[in-house]
Amino acid sequence: MTPVQSFRTEHDLLGDLEVPADVYYGVHTARALLNFPISGMPISRHPDLVVALASVKQAAAEANRQLGQLDSTIAGAIITACTEIRDGALREQFVVDQIQGGAGTSTNMNANEVIANRACELLGHQRGSYDVVHPLEHVNLGQSTNDVYPTALKIALGTATRTLEQALRRLADHCSTKSLEFADMLKLGRTQLQDAVPMTLGQEFGAFAVTILEDADRLGEVSALIAEINLGGTAIGTGLNTHPEYAALVCDHLRAVTGLPLTTAGNLVEATSDVGAFVQLSGVAKRSAVKLSKICNDLRLLSSGPRAGFGEINLPPVQAGSSIMPGKVNPVIPEVVNQVAFEVIGNDLTVTMAAEAGQLQLNAFEPIIARALLSSINHLAAAVNVLGERCIEGITANTDHMRDAVLRSASLATALNPVLGYEAATALVAEAIATGESIPEMVLRCALVDEAVLARVLSPENLCGLSGSERAR
């Protein structure tokens, strides 16, 4: 027999509403559940955001207690409830949809209600005993959604950005390791998918490492922008209903709670309406995604085959590639990174449009910015980890195949330009393509240069511009 669910009645400006008795959220959250059945993705899917919300509420309670604005017993219960949530408790109670109207008000209300009801329990009262701990009078004291939500989002993004930066640096290390492993493996470079001049496979992977590190550095730079918060500005940045010392003090407490180098914006009115830091972060994430996708395109090309493609490298086989073709193995890890990159690029447009749509003293579209940015950064970090651990780390090279392609390539004539001149080298290329004879064979057969000169010109050191240290390896 199905048990009968019990309810408690809560009240807001629209009237009474029944809320399930066993939940920690309240009437405002319950209305948001009715109003925004949009994505089916609750804010709890982004744990960093839930932790950030609890951190903001804890810092506010500590600041208000210190300033004498909040009873010490109530503040203590709120702080304990926030600490529990930061440690992972009550995650499932953060239920409002990530996509919501109201500039994040539903998210703020959800946090206020969960914290208030847990604080009521801690003080020995039932959930809904808002005469003891009130979601708005106590938990939200000195705050507005308009300073709580962007501050929490910046904290969550700060955590996620550090995770992505660390993942990129590990991926760069994987590429650097391969660069050393492949340092003396000669291969053809290509431009516009046509044979270009020789290089080493180590140089190719070394370039991957450098370009990845560049993006890790850019993430470090943008982290400073998202460390500036508007907490204490309340509704529009004027600090209405706060103690004169509150903004500075709450930032101090929030730094202590989060361990992040947070600072209060110099102009809270500007900081409340501006979302430029989110646009900047999204742009950096997009840049990284585009470059990672290009690397994955290269890996798919270089490993294509195994018989009828480039076949220069072998990606580690991680799963069967076909339900009909026996033995087929696909480059599934680069493919999944490509798809994450496409998502990040699309999310960047979402962030751009949402930022542009802000009006006057507030941007009402921060919830979609939050969803887009948190998804982009978290998915990208996961994809980067998979790329390094499930793909790059296990790549092997087909050394003989690469060297044979170099020796067969008519592009070797480029290295003879200083010796023979461009016109004579061009004639060599035309004849090599027509006859299938290699450039070295033709040069020696026609006695265009002696064997010693040819060996020097076509040496890996000369062809690939290797430094002394690279030659020694």
Side-chain angles (χ1 to χ4, degrees):
M1 184 174 179
T2 304
V4 177
Q5 187 172 17
S6 59
F7 294 86
R8 65 177 187 265
T9 300
E10 294 197 13
H11 181 84
D12 65 359
L13 67 88
L14 299 182
D16 292 341
L17 186 69
E18 288 191 328
V19 177
D22 61 344
V23 301
Y24 283 83
Y25 59 79
V27 60
H28 298 288
T29 303
R31 292 202 191 279
L33 289 173
L34 296 173
N35 291 333
F36 309 123
I38 307 300
S39 70
M41 301 284 283
I43 58 173
S44 60
R45 294 291 185 90
H46 291 301
D48 288 342
L49 181 58
V50 174
V51 170
L53 287 163
S55 299
V56 170
K57 298 298 175 180
Q58 178 176 337
E62 290 174 342
N64 282 315
R65 177 175 62 181
Q66 184 174 341
L67 293 168
Q69 304 295 299
L70 186 61
D71 175 81
S72 182
T73 300
I74 294 174
I78 291 172
I79 291 166
T80 300
C82 291
T83 301
E84 291 177 351
I85 292 167
R86 290 172 53 233
D87 288 339
L90 303 179
R91 189 71 44 83
E92 75 285 352
Q93 297 296 314
F94 289 79
V95 294
V96 297
D97 200 281
Q98 294 175 22
I99 303 177
Q100 56 190 256
T105 297
S106 296
T107 294
N108 187 36
M109 293 294 199
N110 194 167
N112 288 332
E113 290 172 340
V114 171
I115 293 166
N117 279 308
R118 178 57 185 147
C120 286
E121 281 187 336
L122 290 167
L123 294 175
H125 298 271
Q126 292 184 339
R127 298 168 207 171
S129 302
Y130 296 148
D131 57 327
V132 178
V133 181
H134 196 280
L136 301 181
E137 299 288 351
H138 299 133
V139 180
N140 199 63
L141 179 63
Q143 304 152 61
S144 163
T145 293
N146 303 344
D147 61 350
V148 166
Y149 190 86
T151 297
L153 178 53
K154 286 182 175 181
I155 292 168
L157 288 170
T159 301
T161 299
R162 284 199 311 278
T163 299
L164 175 56
E165 181 184 350
Q166 292 163 1
L168 286 170
R169 294 192 187 281
R170 287 193 298 271
L171 180 61
D173 287 342
H174 284 300
C175 291
S176 293
T177 298
K178 287 298 170 182
S179 177
L180 293 174
E181 180 183 341
F182 300 149
D184 60 351
M185 297 182 183
L186 200 63
K187 60 157 287 177
L188 271 180
R190 295 179 180 85
T191 56
Q192 292 139 298
L193 292 179
Q194 306 301 302
D195 295 355
V197 297
M199 65 185 303
T200 68
L201 189 59
Q203 289 174 319
E204 195 157 29
F205 275 81
F208 292 162
V210 170
T211 201
I212 291 165
L213 282 175
E214 286 180 351
D215 289 327
D217 290 342
R218 299 296 82 74
L219 282 170
E221 293 167 0
V222 79
S223 293
L225 291 178
I226 58 174
E228 183 183 87
I229 61 173
N230 71 325
L231 193 61
T234 64
I236 64 169
T238 60
L240 181 67
N241 293 344
T242 63
H243 188 282
E245 299 173 22
Y246 172 78
L249 189 59
V250 76
C251 187
D252 289 342
H253 282 291
L254 195 53
R255 273 196 301 271
V257 170
T258 63
L260 295 173
L262 303 171
T263 60
T264 300
N267 186 314
L268 291 177
V269 173
E270 184 277 337
T272 302
S273 62
D274 177 57
V275 293
F278 299 139
V279 176
Q280 182 83 354
L281 177 58
S282 183
V284 173
K286 182 183 75 170
R287 167 188 159 135
S288 181
V290 168
K291 292 166 68 175
L292 287 167
S293 192
K294 186 269 179 188
I295 290 172
C296 287
N297 294 341
D298 290 350
L299 295 175
R300 291 191 293 116
L301 277 173
L302 294 175
S303 65
S304 60
R307 299 290 176 82
F310 284 18
E312 294 186 351
I313 62 173
N314 309 299
L315 306 186
V318 295
Q319 65 182 54
S322 174
S323 61
I324 188 173
M325 291 175 280
K328 189 171 188 288
V329 177
N330 294 328
V332 294
I333 302 300
E335 287 171 352
V336 77
V337 178
N338 285 134
Q339 291 174 80
V340 170
F342 305 156
E343 178 193 28
V344 173
I345 294 164
N347 284 343
D348 180 64
L349 179 59
T350 296
V351 172
T352 301
M353 296 302 295
E356 184 277 336
Q359 296 169 316
L360 304 177
Q361 278 67 60
L362 183 68
N363 187 299
F365 306 108
E366 287 183 4
I368 198 65
I369 292 175
R371 174 184 165 91
L373 268 179
L374 288 169
S375 295
S376 287
I377 294 174
N378 289 328
H379 292 177
L380 197 57
V384 167
N385 284 330
V386 167
L387 180 61
E389 296 165 9
R390 301 285 293 167
C391 183
I392 301 290
E393 193 175 84
I395 289 175
T396 58
N398 297 320
T399 310
D400 293 341
H401 175 69
M402 291 189 295
R403 179 175 288 276
D404 289 345
V406 171
L407 295 176
R408 292 195 311 270
S409 174
S411 69
L412 276 181
T414 303
L416 291 163
N417 279 352
V419 179
L420 301 178
Y422 185 87
E423 293 297 332
T426 299
L428 273 178
V429 171
E431 186 174 349
I433 292 173
T435 65
E437 193 174 7
S438 74
I439 294 294
E441 291 170 342
M442 291 176 58
V443 168
L444 292 176
R445 177 174 55 79
C446 299
L448 297 176
V449 298
D450 63 41
E451 193 167 347
V453 172
L454 182 64
R456 177 180 56 79
V457 170
L458 299 185
S459 68
E461 291 82 5
N462 184 63
L463 290 174
C464 304
L466 299 178
S467 65
S469 60
E470 289 172 317
R471 294 174 193 179
R473 281 200 289 266

